[in-house]
């Protein structure tokens, strides 16, 4: 009833692995994604440090930089000097940092990276605690 296919499919993109096209594993893709989320969190943490310097933020920035470097194969993350920071509301920065830490936590859990997951969860807790007094005062 049906005639067998005799020609190669026109929908096929390649006939096997192509060395000109980069292929990454799921683990490598998750590493890249996690490094991006942690680097963004580091940038917001550095902005917070410029507005309100605390030992907790300094420690968090160093730990975040360590994790980003680990995920990027030892390359340290690019960081803007403290004098180049824009002035933003600390509440908005804490909200942004909390959201970024949440994204990092999801990816870290997905790739079973315990160190990054713990760091992201700690940062979420810290930013939640920083927001609570502000949230109550605005009511």
């Amino acid at each position: 009833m049906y005639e067998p296919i005799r020609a190669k499919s026109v929908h096929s993109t390649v006939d096997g692995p192509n060395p000109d096209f980069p292929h990454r594993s799921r683990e490598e893709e998750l590493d890249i994604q996690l490094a991006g989320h942690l680097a963004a969190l580091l940038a917001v943490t550095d902005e917070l440090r410029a507005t309100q310097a605390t030992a907790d933020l300094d420690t968090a920035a160093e730990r975040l930089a360590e994790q980003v470097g680990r995920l990027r194969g030892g390359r340290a993350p690019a960081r803007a000097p403290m004098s180049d920071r824009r002035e933003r509301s600390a509440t908005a920065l804490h909200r942004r940092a909390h959201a970024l830490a949440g994204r990092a936590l999801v990816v870290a859990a997905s790739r079973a990276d315990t160190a990054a997951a713990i760091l992201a969860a700690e940062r979420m807790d810290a930013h939640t605690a920083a927001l609570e007094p502000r949230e109550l005062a605005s009511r």
Side-chain angles (χ1 to χ4, degrees):
M1 179 175 242
Y2 293 103
E3 185 175 336
I5 297 172
R6 296 190 180 129
K8 290 184 180 182
S9 171
V10 295
H11 301 289
S12 175
T13 56
V14 292
D15 294 331
N18 183 350
D20 296 334
F21 185 73
H23 297 279
R24 291 190 283 253
S25 68
R26 181 176 188 277
E27 177 98 2
E28 290 170 323
E29 289 293 338
L30 288 174
D31 282 349
I32 292 167
Q33 191 176 22
L34 181 56
H37 289 316
L38 291 176
L41 180 57
L42 175 60
V44 174
T45 300
D46 282 342
E47 282 192 55
L48 277 166
R49 288 176 56 221
T51 61
Q52 54 186 9
T54 66
D56 178 53
L57 288 172
D58 292 341
T59 303
E62 292 309 312
R63 290 179 62 202
L64 286 165
E66 261 179 42
Q67 290 298 316
V68 173
R70 177 183 62 85
L71 291 165
R72 290 184 176 166
R75 293 187 323 248
R79 295 173 76 177
M82 292 297 278
S83 60
D84 290 351
R85 307 282 180 220
R86 293 175 286 175
E87 284 298 318
R88 278 202 231 172
S89 155
T91 302
L93 288 171
H94 281 295
R95 284 189 185 129
R96 175 108 174 103
H98 185 273
L100 288 166
R103 291 182 190 131
L105 179 59
V106 169
V107 177
S110 170
R111 69 177 296 280
D113 187 331
T114 307
I118 290 170
L119 177 58
E122 288 173 357
R123 296 317 308 149
M124 283 183 73
D125 289 345
H127 294 295
T128 299
L131 284 171
E132 285 175 356
R134 290 182 178 93
E135 298 289 328
L136 292 174
S138 66
R139 289 183 185 171

